[in-house]
């Protein structure tokens, strides 16, 4: 047999095995995540709170309880999480926010939130509704492209 054909067959077999392993691991992770989501939905409570500040911070800097730091995998300790600094009654605390709703959370407003432990699942404005998320500044290159398209008369891309 041709050596190129043997190498090609070995590569195909290795890629097939890797694909099967990744599929199995992906299904297990998806089941685990669905179970965690169902558990969070079962434990959620509705709480009225004043949102003081919101930031993306590392877990070490966020001021979360030490039990949270101990149970977090070492690789995830460096990643930044969306953190809300809120006032619930007389107590000020830091909560972890869901990534999907972080941009729509109004700052310095009183809201009604669905909370599961220290995790905020959803937020609804009490007075005046939710404020629309503020538009972020465009980067240098996006501004440059937008100006060039404006001069050319083309439709701007978002």
């Amino acid at each position: 047999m041709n050596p190129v054909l043997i190498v090609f067959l070995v590569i195909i077999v290795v890629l097939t095995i890797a694909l099967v392993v990744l599929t199995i691991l992906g299904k297990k992770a998806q089941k685990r995540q669905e179970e965690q989501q169902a558990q969070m939905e079962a434990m959620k409570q509705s709480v009225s709170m004043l949102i003081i500040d919101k930031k993306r911070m590392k877990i070490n800097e966020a001021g979360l309880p030490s039990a949270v730091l101990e149970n977090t995998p070492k690789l995830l300790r460096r990643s930044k999480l969306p953190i809300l600094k809120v006032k619930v009654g007389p107590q000020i605390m830091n909560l972890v926010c869901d990534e999907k709703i972080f941009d729509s959370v109004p700052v310095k407003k009183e809201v009604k939130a669905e909370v599961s432990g220290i995790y905020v699942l959803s937020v609804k404005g009490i007075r005046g509704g939710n404020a629309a998320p503020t538009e972020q500044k465009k980067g240098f290159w996006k501004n440059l492209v937008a100006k060039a398209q404006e001069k050319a008369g083309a439709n701007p891309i978002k």
Side-chain angles (χ1 to χ4, degrees):
M1 283 187 111
N2 193 354
V4 174
L5 183 63
I6 294 174
V7 170
F8 185 68
L9 289 175
V10 169
I11 290 174
I12 288 177
V13 168
V14 169
L15 288 176
T16 306
I17 291 172
L19 183 66
V20 169
V21 168
L22 286 175
T23 304
I24 293 170
L25 291 176
K27 287 182 181 179
K28 285 183 182 179
Q30 186 176 7
K31 284 181 187 177
R32 196 174 317 126
Q33 195 245 354
E34 288 172 357
E35 290 172 3
Q36 289 173 349
Q37 194 69 28
Q39 193 176 28
M40 286 174 55
E41 288 292 326
M43 299 297 290
K44 72 180 178 182
Q45 300 174 351
S46 184
V47 177
S48 178
M49 62 177 66
L50 173 70
I51 298 180
I52 299 170
D53 192 18
K54 66 178 186 177
K55 292 181 186 174
R56 292 188 192 279
M57 303 173 80
K58 292 182 181 178
I59 294 179
N60 320 11
E61 303 165 356
L64 296 174
S66 60
V68 173
L69 293 174
E70 292 169 2
N71 292 334
T72 305
K74 289 188 179 182
L75 291 175
L76 293 178
R77 290 184 188 170
R78 292 186 185 156
S79 65
K80 292 187 175 183
L81 291 177
I83 303 291
L84 299 177
K85 186 173 188 177
V86 299
K87 182 175 182 182
V88 181
Q91 189 176 14
I92 294 177
M93 58 177 55
N94 291 337
L95 301 176
V96 178
C97 183
D98 192 3
E99 190 70 45
K100 298 173 199 166
I101 65 165
F102 182 69
D103 293 330
S104 65
V105 174
V107 179
K108 297 192 173 138
K109 300 251 179 179
E110 192 171 345
V111 296
K112 196 112 176 147
E114 299 287 328
V115 179
S116 177
I118 63 165
Y119 197 76
V120 179
L121 298 171
S122 67
V123 173
K124 296 175 189 157
I126 292 181
R127 297 184 191 100
N130 281 354
T134 59
E135 287 190 28
Q136 295 180 352
K137 290 184 176 180
K138 292 182 181 178
F140 175 75
W141 291 110
K142 286 191 178 182
N143 268 340
L144 196 63
V145 169
K147 285 179 184 177
Q149 286 180 338
E150 185 179 324
K151 286 181 181 178
N155 293 333
I157 34 179
K158 295 181 180 179

